[in-house]
């Protein structure tokens, strides 16, 4: 039976895996010396007393991309949002356990400081509608204090460059952000996050509302960002997980079932559940 | 379909034949459409009719005083010399005072209700605000006469005079009845409107916007600032609705403004508003000219309201246009 399943995997992912194989192989070696940027111990989140995720023990290395996969409602987003205090905004949400960022407990940081270190890009592009492209990119900076115009200009150019939006928008930075297409808006949101110079960027299904072209562009951006940031991406799309990530965590019913190198997860997962999900038996 | 042909400086429009495809309409739809159209036209007819009537009935006054009616401070029914400037002044200044007091309070309350309050406080405060809006203006007027005006005379006005007395606005006799008291009564009356609309506007901002602000590391205050920026056109609309009510408010203002046709620097001095003078004098107006003059005051009140609303429209339009495509 398991032989058969493995055969299936090979057939299904034959076009995807070879590309990922090179990158993960290289990553494995180069990452050994890197320290962990994010660590969680016994992390649990409950809403109004009902546990959504529990016993999450995971470690993320810097300069890697980790994909979080799992069926709807398995707690992927809940986990992601715990990492930058986003549950503070949800009524009835209680987060317990330990989260460490750079080895330091998250509760020792100032809350706003955590959110600045841990940037987040959401499922639906959410630029500020009353602001121009320029204003959107620097929104995170101008919120806190005044900055020199030269500094802002520089940040806008750098962030938009990194997010792959500079060429399309450099002539119309004063135009409203709403004039951009959905994919461009999402890249603008990425640029906005980059502008505050975080160390970790969380992506909550960043491409699920976008067309394939925009998706490809954002995946390209992810690869570039990996050089400087730790990236965690929640995705419904398993091809995307295998394309972009070095590591993959599989969540099911609020538990972390398996966390391993992406290639391992997709070719020879240790857990039967992972295997079944990856080949599309459920989910 | 039109083709535009351009031959060196001259152009011609050529119409070609085009078959237009229309869906056939059900009879009931046609009836429904025309019925709603009729209702819509009613609104236009009412506005035009009111305008026309006031214009017609103020003819005597308009012919006698001309444009000088708006610029004259005199209002003397014995000598039959009428001018509306004092009333325009009273209305505009009391409304501005009301807005200056009500706007910050309303925004504060709305922000508290949407962003900070727990559900019990939220329900209670919201309910009380609606109650406040439902109180008839004559009750506000009563309260103004018996509670607010004496309190203004004995406490607020002396206090203002001793601290800000160097400004002409806060000099002179502290009578209790006057522009400032009228402004405060109006402020209390328009706060519920501005608050509830601002609250709804803030509530309508999607959660994703809030999350975006928080994810950028903003504090609660910074996120609220962002929400307010987002909602500015809605808040402006709320303000204008409040202002509209303040400008037209009659009873409560009449009871506390002092009803004296004069323009004085001090806000403590009694004054008169357009709506008040019409209410006070219409019943015992002596002769055609007096009535005509009062109707012309009404016409000006209508005009002021119209101008305020138009300005608001233009402002909101420019805001939203900026937001959509700059």
């Amino acid at each position: 039976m398991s032989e058969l399943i493995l055969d299936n995997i090979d057939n299904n992912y034959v076009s995807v895996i070879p590309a990922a194989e090179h990158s993960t192989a290289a990553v494995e070696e180069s990452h050994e010396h890197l320290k962990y940027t994010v660590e969680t111990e016994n992390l649990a989140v409950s809403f109004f007393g009902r546990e959504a995720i529990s016993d999450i023990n995971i470690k993320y290395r810097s300069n890697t991309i980790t994909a979080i996969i799992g069926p709807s409602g398995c707690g992927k987003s809940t986990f992601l949002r715990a990492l930058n205090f986003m549950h503070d905004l949800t009524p009835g949400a209680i987060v317990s356990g330990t989260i460490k960022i750079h080895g330091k407990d998250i509760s020792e940081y100032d809350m706003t400081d955590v959110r600045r270190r841990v940037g987040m890009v959401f499922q639906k592009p959410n630029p500020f509608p009353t602001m121009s492209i320029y204003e959107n990119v620097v929104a995170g900076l101008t919120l806190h204090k005044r900055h020199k115009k030269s500094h802002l200009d520089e940040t806008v150019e750098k962030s938009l460059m990194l997010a792959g939006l500079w060429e399309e928008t450099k002539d119309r930075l004063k135009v409203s952000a709403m004039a951009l297409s959905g994919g461009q808006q999402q890249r603008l949101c990425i640029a906005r996050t980059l502008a505050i110079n975080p160390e970790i960027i969380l992506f909550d299904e960043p491409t699920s509302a976008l067309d394939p072209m925009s998706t490809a562009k954002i995946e390209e951006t992810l690869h570039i960002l990996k050089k400087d940031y730790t990236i965690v991406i929640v995705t419904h799309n398993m091809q995307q997980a295998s394309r972009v990530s070095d590591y993959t965590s599989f969540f099911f019913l609020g538990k972390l079932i398996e966390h391993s190198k992406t290639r391992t997860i997709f070719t020879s997962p240790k857990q039967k559940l992972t295997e079944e999900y990856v080949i599309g038996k459920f989910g | 379909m039109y083709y535009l042909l351009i031959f060196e400086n001259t152009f011609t429009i050529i119409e070609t034949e085009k078959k237009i495809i229309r869906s056939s309409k059900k009879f009931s739809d046609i009836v429904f459409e025309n019925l709603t159209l009729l209702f819509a036209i009613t609104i236009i007819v009412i506005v035009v009719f009111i305008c026309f009537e006031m214009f017609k009935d103020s003819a005597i006054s308009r012919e006698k005083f001309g444009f000088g009616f708006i610029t004259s401070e005199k209002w003397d029914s014995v000598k039959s010399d009428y001018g509306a400037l004092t009333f325009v002044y009273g209305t505009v200044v009391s409304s501005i005072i009301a807005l200056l007091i009500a706007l910050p309070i309303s925004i504060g309350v709305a922000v508290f209700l949407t962003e900070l309050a727990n559900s019990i406080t939220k329900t209670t405060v919201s309910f009380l605000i609606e109650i406040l809006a439902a109180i008839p203006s004559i009750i506000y007027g009563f309260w103004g006469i018996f509670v607010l005006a004496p309190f203004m005379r004995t406490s607020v006005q002396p206090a203002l005079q001793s601290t800000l007395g160097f400004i002409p606005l806060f000099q002179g006799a502290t009578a209790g009845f006057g522009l400032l008291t009228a402004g405060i009564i109006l402020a209390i009356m328009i706060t519920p409107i501005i608050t509830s609309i601002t609250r709804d506007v803030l509530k309508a901002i999607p959660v994703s916007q809030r999350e975006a602000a928080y994810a950028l590391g903003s504090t609660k205050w910074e996120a609220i600032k962002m929400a307010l920026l987002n909602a500015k056109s809605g808040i402006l609309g709320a303000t204008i609705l409040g202002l509209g009510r303040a400008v037209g408010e009659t009873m409560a203002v009449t009871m506390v403004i002092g009803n004296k046709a004069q323009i004085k620097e001090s806000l403590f001095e009694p004054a008169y508003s357009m709506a008040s003078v019409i209410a006070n004098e219409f019943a015992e107006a002596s002769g055609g000219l007096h009535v005509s003059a009062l109707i012309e005051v009404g016409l000006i009140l209508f005009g002021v309201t119209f101008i305020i609303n138009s300005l608001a429209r233009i402002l909101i339009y420019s805001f939203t246009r900026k937001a959509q495509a700059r």
Side-chain angles (χ1 to χ4, degrees), chain A residues 60 65-80 121 123 202-209 215 218-219 222 231-251 262 266 277-278 283:
Chain A
Y60 294 139
I65 299 181
T66 307
I68 301 180
I69 59 169
S72 300
C74 68
K76 308 183 293 281
S77 294
T78 306
F79 168 72
L80 200 69
V121 176
Q123 179 173 6
L202 311 173
F203 290 85
D204 192 356
E205 298 182 38
T207 60
S208 63
T215 302
I218 285 178
E219 286 179 7
L222 289 178
I231 292 170
V232 184
I233 172 172
V234 164
T235 177
H236 261 301
N237 181 334
M238 275 182 282
Q239 273 110 330
Q240 182 171 61
S242 63
R243 275 197 301 267
V244 301
S245 66
D246 308 312
Y247 294 86
T248 298
S249 315
F250 171 60
F251 276 64
T262 298
F266 281 97
Y277 181 72
V278 164

Side-chain angles (χ1 to χ4, degrees), chain A residues 100-140:
Chain A
K100 284 182 185 165
I101 290 173
H102 285 307
K104 199 169 131 192
D105 198 283
I106 199 171
S107 55
E108 289 171 36
Y109 290 96
D110 181 51
M111 181 190 71
T112 54
D113 191 37
V114 168
R115 292 203 184 121
R116 253 170 280 169
R117 281 160 181 267
V118 187
M120 187 159 195
V121 176
F122 297 85
Q123 179 173 6
K124 237 182 97 200
N126 55 356
F128 299 116
T130 52
M131 293 184 177
S132 68
I133 296 173
Y134 185 99
E135 288 166 335
N136 257 286
V137 177
V138 295

